[in-house]
Amino acid sequence: MARIVMKFGGTSVADLDRIHNVARHVKREVDAGHEVAVVVSAMSGKTNELVAWVQNMPKVTGASSPFYDAREYDAIVASGELVTAGLLAIALQSMDVNARSWQGWQIPIRTDNAHGAARILEIEGEEIVRRMGEGQVAVVAGFQGLGPDNRVATLGRGGSDTSAVAIAAAVKADRCDIYTDVDGVYTTDPRIEPKARRLKKIAFEEMLEMASLGAKVLQVRSVELAMVHKVRTFVRSSFEDPDAPGMGDLLNPPGTLICDEDEIVEQEVVTGIAYAKDEAQISLRRVADRPGVSAAIFGPLAEAHINVDMIVQNISEDGSKTDMTFTVPFGDVEKALKVLEGAKEQVGFDVIQHETGLVKVSVIGIGMRSHAGVAASAFRALADKGINIKAITTSEIKISILIDGPYAELAVRTLHSVYGLDKK
């Protein structure tokens, strides 16, 4: 017998038939004798609908300001998960499975006060553990918790993944199964490279890089939590037949296991290729090279919640001036330019230049720590294809390369091939 947390995303619970299919997955684990908790997202499209209602309400009333109270935003958008949890509990009860739905505040999942993007601080899982021990399935509404103001607080997009991993850590689950519309983590996006392979295992660090660099399989914070608390996490497909051979295998179910690198016996040099579209590059030309300049540039950007990446600094020959170049998501370009113009006097640059329509392609693998020449292979392969590199950043286990958008698919396929990921 094991203790399992199962999470199902929006496409997996998109309608009543799919919720019934999810109930079959849950019943399979219950019938095998496992203690089970389930975390669910809102039905596909519902959160977007609720968000649109919130955003349109001030317009309908003719308000002079488009702003709204973030606490009421959370109260509204959290309702999507409540509906799914209740419907899945009813489906399980109809199949003679003892089940009860839980809202985030009932557990409670305690969060900070950042409504709309709250972070989990603590989970008091004793009551759920007791109920699971008695054979009851806990169906938990994901994406939400209880803030210090005693109001519901939502965790931001993808927050149900985070809820599931956090609950798995709190109840000391043997594993956390994230069911989605794909059957695992692939070496790259199969839509771009048909030869992409499903990985049997991937290390937490690699998955964290993949998620943060463009792979959409898991939310970044959920991977961070899994790594910190050593929660063995399986990425699985909810669209496979719940009763298909191997689906109930406790140790090696179909999918991809995200685990500590000690569990991976044969470590590949490169595990996968990720990419992020819609990157923009901003350059500050002829910045005075003096202490505090970097803080004057990136401090205000951080305060504006603009995520900065791929920072490159070029110092003039006499050391008096520097060019500072960095990337931001395309959607933050205008805000970033406005923030930087406001800091111009303090920073002391001559001119701002920016370029959009760029793509960041990343090579990821824990085996890179002990192998030389990985970067050189990437640069040579891209040069052979006539792809110009605009910026490069590296870490122990990743190389990120900024290129023009039209070359994205060619670069992904080229790098996937040069490291032999299409042959194993």
Side-chain angles (χ1 to χ4, degrees):
M1 184 183 74
R3 184 173 293 165
I4 300 172
V5 173
M6 308 170 72
K7 183 265 174 180
F8 295 90
T11 53
S12 302
V13 294
D15 53 38
L16 296 186
D17 286 335
R18 289 191 180 176
I19 291 174
H20 174 223
N21 188 61
V22 164
R24 291 176 60 209
H25 280 286
V26 176
K27 187 177 185 333
R28 180 192 66 233
E29 305 297 352
V30 172
D31 289 348
H34 304 312
E35 295 180 358
V36 179
V38 187
V39 176
V40 292
S41 298
M43 299 165 76
S44 183
K46 289 299 178 184
T47 300
N48 288 339
E49 182 181 30
L50 293 167
V51 170
W53 287 353
V54 173
Q55 293 173 339
N56 287 328
M57 195 69 252
K59 300 176 187 176
V60 171
T61 64
S64 58
S65 169
F67 296 107
Y68 44 80
D69 191 321
R71 291 164 295 188
E72 301 308 332
Y73 169 93
D74 277 355
I76 294 163
V77 299
S79 65
E81 280 71 17
L82 307 186
V83 172
T84 309
L87 288 172
L88 180 56
I90 290 172
L92 288 166
Q93 292 165 4
S94 301
M95 298 164 67
D96 297 321
V97 175
N98 182 7
R100 182 64 60 205
S101 66
W102 294 71
Q103 300 179 30
W105 62 267
Q106 290 176 303
I107 296 175
I109 299 172
R110 299 197 181 276
T111 73
D112 62 18
N113 211 22
H115 285 278
R119 299 187 76 88
I120 295 173
L121 301 177
E122 179 187 14
I123 295 179
E124 298 169 21
E126 294 83 1
E127 181 60 16
I128 279 187
V129 170
R130 186 184 71 78
R131 299 276 193 101
M132 290 167 70
E134 294 175 353
Q136 186 177 89
V137 174
V139 184
V140 183
F143 176 62
Q144 62 185 249
L146 183 68
D149 55 0
N150 216 34
R151 296 188 61 89
V152 64
T154 63
L155 308 180
R157 289 291 184 172
S160 291
D161 285 352
T162 306
S163 299
V165 173
I167 289 171
V171 304
K172 296 180 171 54
D174 294 284
R175 73 170 198 244
C176 179
D177 291 355
I178 305 289
Y179 285 82
T180 180
D181 52 2
V182 296
D183 61 353
V185 181
Y186 280 72
T187 49
T188 195
D189 188 340
R191 294 170 299 180
I192 288 181
E193 176 49 86
K195 295 179 182 177
R197 296 177 297 105
R198 187 177 73 187
L199 297 164
K200 191 172 181 62
K201 293 182 180 180
I202 184 171
F204 289 124
E205 286 182 84
E206 293 172 323
M207 190 66 236
L208 187 58
E209 292 285 10
M210 294 278 278
S212 64
L213 294 168
K216 306 296 184 185
V217 179
L218 285 177
Q219 200 258 4
V220 174
R221 275 196 290 165
S222 68
V223 184
E224 289 175 344
L225 270 177
M227 184 165 66
V228 169
H229 296 285
K230 298 288 190 280
V231 177
R232 300 174 81 249
T233 305
F234 274 95
V235 177
R236 307 180 61 177
S237 171
S238 64
F239 297 106
E240 293 188 34
D241 184 345
D243 300 318
M247 288 296 286
D249 189 329
L250 177 62
L251 299 178
N252 295 296
T256 299
L257 172 63
I258 306 166
C259 59
D260 195 271
E261 65 178 275
D262 292 342
E263 285 196 52
I264 302 174
V265 179
E266 295 184 16
Q267 294 179 352
E268 305 291 348
V269 177
V270 171
T271 299
I273 312 295
Y275 69 98
K277 293 183 177 179
D278 296 326
E279 294 285 307
Q281 187 179 60
I282 296 176
S283 297
L284 302 181
R285 301 300 184 189
R286 294 177 292 283
V287 180
D289 189 26
R290 64 176 187 272
V293 167
S294 294
I297 295 170
F298 298 112
L301 292 172
E303 290 170 8
H305 304 291
I306 297 170
N307 186 32
V308 173
D309 191 20
M310 301 191 79
I311 302 170
V312 178
Q313 184 176 9
N314 297 313
I315 301 174
S316 63
E317 189 173 351
D318 63 5
S320 63
K321 297 287 185 179
T322 182
D323 290 342
M324 190 76 76
T325 301
F326 52 90
T327 60
V328 299
F330 172 74
D332 287 336
V333 171
E334 294 303 322
K335 183 162 66 168
L337 294 175
K338 186 175 181 180
V339 168
L340 292 167
E341 286 290 356
K344 183 173 183 178
E345 186 175 335
Q346 186 178 3
V347 175
F349 56 86
D350 281 356
V351 65
I352 298 182
Q353 297 172 337
H354 72 280
E355 184 178 2
T356 58
L358 305 178
V359 169
K360 179 171 58 182
V361 180
S362 302
V363 178
I364 299 153
I366 52 177
M368 291 166 60
R369 289 176 181 150
S370 55
H371 286 77
V374 177
S377 298
F379 304 153
R380 190 180 307 113
L382 294 178
D384 290 344
K385 297 293 184 180
I387 300 173
N388 185 47
I389 298 173
K390 294 180 171 290
I392 303 163
T393 57
T394 64
S395 73
E396 270 194 319
I397 67 167
K398 75 109 192 284
I399 304 159
S400 289
I401 300 162
L402 192 69
I403 61 173
D404 288 319
Y407 292 97
E409 294 190 9
L410 176 60
V412 168
R413 288 195 296 267
T414 298
L415 294 174
H416 193 267
S417 176
V418 80
Y419 295 114
L421 295 176
D422 52 354
K423 297 176 182 177
K424 298 169 186 174

